[in-house]
PDB file of all heavy atoms in Angstrom:
ATOM      1  N   ARG W 824      26.222   5.495   0.657  1.00  0.00           N
ATOM      2  CA  ARG W 824      26.657   4.145   0.392  1.00  0.00           C
ATOM      3  C   ARG W 824      25.497   3.371  -0.205  1.00  0.00           C
ATOM      4  O   ARG W 824      24.337   3.768  -0.079  1.00  0.00           O
ATOM      5  CB  ARG W 824      27.156   3.463   1.666  1.00  0.00           C
ATOM      6  CG  ARG W 824      26.161   3.487   2.787  1.00  0.00           C
ATOM      7  CD  ARG W 824      26.701   2.802   4.015  1.00  0.00           C
ATOM      8  NE  ARG W 824      25.717   2.815   5.091  1.00  0.00           N
ATOM      9  CZ  ARG W 824      25.627   1.889   6.030  1.00  0.00           C
ATOM     10  NH1 ARG W 824      26.455   0.871   6.003  1.00  0.00           N
ATOM     11  NH2 ARG W 824      24.726   1.962   6.988  1.00  0.00           N
ATOM     12  N   ALA W 825      25.737   2.278  -0.849  1.00  0.00           N
ATOM     13  CA  ALA W 825      24.719   1.487  -1.521  1.00  0.00           C
ATOM     14  C   ALA W 825      24.642   0.114  -0.900  1.00  0.00           C
ATOM     15  O   ALA W 825      25.622  -0.402  -0.346  1.00  0.00           O
ATOM     16  CB  ALA W 825      25.036   1.375  -3.009  1.00  0.00           C
ATOM     17  N   CYS W 826      23.391  -0.476  -1.017  1.00  0.00           N
ATOM     18  CA  CYS W 826      23.223  -1.829  -0.507  1.00  0.00           C
ATOM     19  C   CYS W 826      23.884  -2.812  -1.464  1.00  0.00           C
ATOM     20  O   CYS W 826      24.328  -2.463  -2.558  1.00  0.00           O
ATOM     21  CB  CYS W 826      21.749  -2.147  -0.309  1.00  0.00           C
ATOM     22  SG  CYS W 826      20.805  -2.152  -1.848  1.00  0.00           S
ATOM     23  N   THR W 827      23.884  -4.066  -1.051  1.00  0.00           N
ATOM     24  CA  THR W 827      24.563  -5.078  -1.862  1.00  0.00           C
ATOM     25  C   THR W 827      23.911  -5.261  -3.220  1.00  0.00           C
ATOM     26  O   THR W 827      24.590  -5.344  -4.257  1.00  0.00           O
ATOM     27  CB  THR W 827      24.582  -6.408  -1.097  1.00  0.00           C
ATOM     28  OG1 THR W 827      25.196  -6.202   0.182  1.00  0.00           O
ATOM     29  CG2 THR W 827      25.370  -7.470  -1.848  1.00  0.00           C
ATOM     30  N   ALA W 828      22.522  -5.309  -3.256  1.00  0.00           N
ATOM     31  CA  ALA W 828      21.816  -5.526  -4.523  1.00  0.00           C
ATOM     32  C   ALA W 828      22.025  -4.366  -5.484  1.00  0.00           C
ATOM     33  O   ALA W 828      22.265  -4.567  -6.685  1.00  0.00           O
ATOM     34  CB  ALA W 828      20.323  -5.740  -4.250  1.00  0.00           C
ATOM     35  N   CYS W 829      21.908  -3.117  -5.009  1.00  0.00           N
ATOM     36  CA  CYS W 829      22.104  -1.960  -5.880  1.00  0.00           C
ATOM     37  C   CYS W 829      23.540  -1.872  -6.368  1.00  0.00           C
ATOM     38  O   CYS W 829      23.808  -1.462  -7.501  1.00  0.00           O
ATOM     39  CB  CYS W 829      21.703  -0.683  -5.149  1.00  0.00           C
ATOM     40  SG  CYS W 829      19.935  -0.565  -4.782  1.00  0.00           S
ATOM     41  N   ARG W 830      24.508  -2.256  -5.506  1.00  0.00           N
ATOM     42  CA  ARG W 830      25.897  -2.167  -5.922  1.00  0.00           C
ATOM     43  C   ARG W 830      26.220  -3.197  -6.994  1.00  0.00           C
ATOM     44  O   ARG W 830      26.954  -2.924  -7.946  1.00  0.00           O
ATOM     45  CB  ARG W 830      26.820  -2.354  -4.713  1.00  0.00           C
ATOM     46  CG  ARG W 830      28.289  -2.074  -5.036  1.00  0.00           C
ATOM     47  CD  ARG W 830      29.139  -1.952  -3.797  1.00  0.00           C
ATOM     48  NE  ARG W 830      29.160  -3.186  -3.030  1.00  0.00           N
ATOM     49  CZ  ARG W 830      28.547  -3.356  -1.862  1.00  0.00           C
ATOM     50  NH1 ARG W 830      27.865  -2.348  -1.351  1.00  0.00           N
ATOM     51  NH2 ARG W 830      28.589  -4.500  -1.214  1.00  0.00           N
ATOM     52  N   LYS W 831      25.614  -4.407  -6.869  1.00  0.00           N
ATOM     53  CA  LYS W 831      25.848  -5.415  -7.893  1.00  0.00           C
ATOM     54  C   LYS W 831      25.207  -5.021  -9.224  1.00  0.00           C
ATOM     55  O   LYS W 831      25.757  -5.273 -10.294  1.00  0.00           O
ATOM     56  CB  LYS W 831      25.306  -6.763  -7.420  1.00  0.00           C
ATOM     57  CG  LYS W 831      26.151  -7.404  -6.320  1.00  0.00           C
ATOM     58  CD  LYS W 831      25.595  -8.756  -5.937  1.00  0.00           C
ATOM     59  CE  LYS W 831      26.459  -9.417  -4.866  1.00  0.00           C
ATOM     60  NZ  LYS W 831      25.930 -10.757  -4.473  1.00  0.00           N
ATOM     61  N   GLY W 832      23.973  -4.411  -9.175  1.00  0.00           N
ATOM     62  CA  GLY W 832      23.317  -3.982 -10.404  1.00  0.00           C
ATOM     63  C   GLY W 832      23.748  -2.629 -10.903  1.00  0.00           C
ATOM     64  O   GLY W 832      23.238  -2.139 -11.921  1.00  0.00           O
ATOM     65  N   LYS W 833      24.683  -1.988 -10.154  1.00  0.00           N
ATOM     66  CA  LYS W 833      25.177  -0.667 -10.512  1.00  0.00           C
ATOM     67  C   LYS W 833      24.031   0.327 -10.655  1.00  0.00           C
ATOM     68  O   LYS W 833      23.924   1.104 -11.607  1.00  0.00           O
ATOM     69  CB  LYS W 833      26.000  -0.717 -11.795  1.00  0.00           C
ATOM     70  CG  LYS W 833      27.255  -1.572 -11.682  1.00  0.00           C
ATOM     71  CD  LYS W 833      28.085  -1.540 -12.940  1.00  0.00           C
ATOM     72  CE  LYS W 833      29.341  -2.386 -12.781  1.00  0.00           C
ATOM     73  NZ  LYS W 833      30.183  -2.362 -14.007  1.00  0.00           N
ATOM     74  N   ASN W 834      23.112   0.291  -9.674  1.00  0.00           N
ATOM     75  CA  ASN W 834      21.961   1.193  -9.643  1.00  0.00           C
ATOM     76  C   ASN W 834      22.124   2.181  -8.513  1.00  0.00           C
ATOM     77  O   ASN W 834      22.890   1.964  -7.565  1.00  0.00           O
ATOM     78  CB  ASN W 834      20.672   0.390  -9.451  1.00  0.00           C
ATOM     79  CG  ASN W 834      20.430  -0.589 -10.583  1.00  0.00           C
ATOM     80  OD1 ASN W 834      20.671  -0.251 -11.745  1.00  0.00           O
ATOM     81  ND2 ASN W 834      19.951  -1.786 -10.254  1.00  0.00           N
ATOM     82  N   ARG W 835      21.334   3.274  -8.631  1.00  0.00           N
ATOM     83  CA  ARG W 835      21.324   4.251  -7.551  1.00  0.00           C
ATOM     84  C   ARG W 835      20.638   3.653  -6.331  1.00  0.00           C
ATOM     85  O   ARG W 835      19.673   2.906  -6.450  1.00  0.00           O
ATOM     86  CB  ARG W 835      20.602   5.528  -7.978  1.00  0.00           C
ATOM     87  CG  ARG W 835      21.354   6.358  -9.011  1.00  0.00           C
ATOM     88  CD  ARG W 835      20.545   7.585  -9.390  1.00  0.00           C
ATOM     89  NE  ARG W 835      21.264   8.421 -10.319  1.00  0.00           N
ATOM     90  CZ  ARG W 835      22.099   9.397  -9.951  1.00  0.00           C
ATOM     91  NH1 ARG W 835      22.263   9.644  -8.668  1.00  0.00           N
ATOM     92  NH2 ARG W 835      22.721  10.118 -10.859  1.00  0.00           N
ATOM     93  N   CYS W 836      21.087   4.058  -5.200  1.00  0.00           N
ATOM     94  CA  CYS W 836      20.523   3.558  -3.941  1.00  0.00           C
ATOM     95  C   CYS W 836      20.293   4.743  -3.021  1.00  0.00           C
ATOM     96  O   CYS W 836      21.072   5.709  -3.013  1.00  0.00           O
ATOM     97  CB  CYS W 836      21.459   2.530  -3.307  1.00  0.00           C
ATOM     98  SG  CYS W 836      20.810   1.772  -1.797  1.00  0.00           S
ATOM     99  N   ILE W 853      20.572  -5.362   2.204  1.00  0.00           N
ATOM    100  CA  ILE W 853      21.695  -5.592   3.122  1.00  0.00           C
ATOM    101  C   ILE W 853      22.772  -4.544   2.835  1.00  0.00           C
ATOM    102  O   ILE W 853      23.171  -4.344   1.684  1.00  0.00           O
ATOM    103  CB  ILE W 853      22.278  -6.999   2.946  1.00  0.00           C
ATOM    104  CG1 ILE W 853      21.193  -8.057   3.218  1.00  0.00           C
ATOM    105  CG2 ILE W 853      23.485  -7.213   3.866  1.00  0.00           C
ATOM    106  CD1 ILE W 853      21.653  -9.463   2.938  1.00  0.00           C
ATOM    107  N   PHE W 854      23.175  -3.897   3.879  1.00  0.00           N
ATOM    108  CA  PHE W 854      24.266  -2.918   3.795  1.00  0.00           C
ATOM    109  C   PHE W 854      25.495  -3.513   4.477  1.00  0.00           C
ATOM    110  O   PHE W 854      25.472  -3.848   5.664  1.00  0.00           O
ATOM    111  CB  PHE W 854      23.882  -1.605   4.473  1.00  0.00           C
ATOM    112  CG  PHE W 854      22.959  -0.737   3.660  1.00  0.00           C
ATOM    113  CD1 PHE W 854      21.591  -0.939   3.710  1.00  0.00           C
ATOM    114  CD2 PHE W 854      23.459   0.253   2.838  1.00  0.00           C
ATOM    115  CE1 PHE W 854      20.739  -0.155   2.960  1.00  0.00           C
ATOM    116  CE2 PHE W 854      22.608   1.042   2.096  1.00  0.00           C
ATOM    117  CZ  PHE W 854      21.239   0.841   2.152  1.00  0.00           C
ATOM    118  N   GLU W 855      26.537  -3.686   3.713  1.00  0.00           N
ATOM    119  CA  GLU W 855      27.790  -4.164   4.284  1.00  0.00           C
ATOM    120  C   GLU W 855      28.600  -2.994   4.811  1.00  0.00           C
ATOM    121  O   GLU W 855      28.471  -1.868   4.333  1.00  0.00           O
ATOM    122  CB  GLU W 855      28.601  -4.909   3.220  1.00  0.00           C
ATOM    123  CG  GLU W 855      27.924  -6.179   2.725  1.00  0.00           C
ATOM    124  CD  GLU W 855      28.766  -6.871   1.686  1.00  0.00           C
ATOM    125  OE1 GLU W 855      29.790  -6.274   1.280  1.00  0.00           O
ATOM    126  OE2 GLU W 855      28.405  -7.992   1.284  1.00  0.00           O
ATOM    127  N   LYS W 856      29.419  -3.304   5.810  1.00  0.00           N
ATOM    128  CA  LYS W 856      30.273  -2.251   6.350  1.00  0.00           C
ATOM    129  C   LYS W 856      31.292  -1.842   5.310  1.00  0.00           C
ATOM    130  O   LYS W 856      31.892  -2.691   4.646  1.00  0.00           O
ATOM    131  CB  LYS W 856      31.009  -2.737   7.607  1.00  0.00           C
ATOM    132  CG  LYS W 856      30.081  -2.993   8.774  1.00  0.00           C
ATOM    133  CD  LYS W 856      30.874  -3.385  10.009  1.00  0.00           C
ATOM    134  CE  LYS W 856      29.950  -3.603  11.191  1.00  0.00           C
ATOM    135  NZ  LYS W 856      30.703  -3.975  12.416  1.00  0.00           N
TER     136      LYS W 856
END
Side-chain angles (χ1 to χ4, degrees):
R824 54 180 181 151
C826 64
T827 304
C829 293
R830 188 167 62 252
K831 288 182 178 180
K833 297 183 179 180
N834 299 320
R835 290 179 177 271
C836 184
I853 301 175
F854 283 85
E855 295 180 353
K856 293 184 178 181

